[in-house]
Amino acid sequence: MKKISATVILFIIGSAIALAPIIEFKLIPGDGSEGDWFGYSVSISGDYAIVGADGGENNGISTGAAYIFKRDSDTTWVEEQKLLASDGVEFDGFGISSSMSGDYVIISAPWK
């Protein structure tokens, strides 16, 4: 009996997923360039997303950056802000990992 229940539940979940529309978005930073590693880390919370680019060259090679995007509508995301480490230097890797929850973000710079 449990086996039949599990099969039914999986079928319902599978059907719901199959019927849900898949929407893709391509986020592009306003100042991105080759080697930035834009998208190395990503996180989303509500209508906001943070995207790390640990290879960015803002204060030297691989100082890194993180970008905040806001969903404007079901089909549009807009870059709101570019975040840089206030004390960033070459090879910090700022943005190699990032996380967002509500009004808070955390961005790592592991080689600082």
Side-chain angles (χ1 to χ4, degrees):
M1 191 69 132
K2 285 186 179 184
K3 203 172 205 179
I4 293 171
S5 296
T7 303
V8 171
I9 290 170
L10 290 174
F11 176 75
I12 291 169
I13 291 170
S15 294
I17 292 170
L19 296 176
I22 297 173
I23 301 171
E24 292 182 27
F25 299 97
K26 185 173 185 177
L27 303 180
I28 301 171
D31 65 346
S33 63
E34 186 177 348
D36 283 354
W37 290 94
F38 178 79
Y40 194 88
S41 65
V42 296
S43 183
I44 190 168
S45 180
D47 288 334
Y48 289 89
I50 185 168
V51 181
D54 67 300
E57 298 182 6
N58 299 291
N59 294 323
I61 299 169
S62 294
T63 53
Y67 297 82
I68 304 291
F69 288 85
K70 183 176 190 263
R71 182 173 31 204
D72 250 6
S73 68
D74 286 341
T75 59
T76 307
W77 286 80
V78 177
E79 183 181 324
E80 290 278 308
Q81 189 169 5
K82 178 180 180 180
L83 304 173
L84 303 172
S86 59
D87 59 350
V89 295
E90 287 189 345
F91 304 109
D92 280 352
F94 182 78
I96 198 164
S97 63
S98 59
S99 186
M100 171 178 273
S101 179
D103 294 338
Y104 297 93
V105 299
I106 187 164
I107 305 161
S108 73
W111 298 288
K112 179 75 182 146

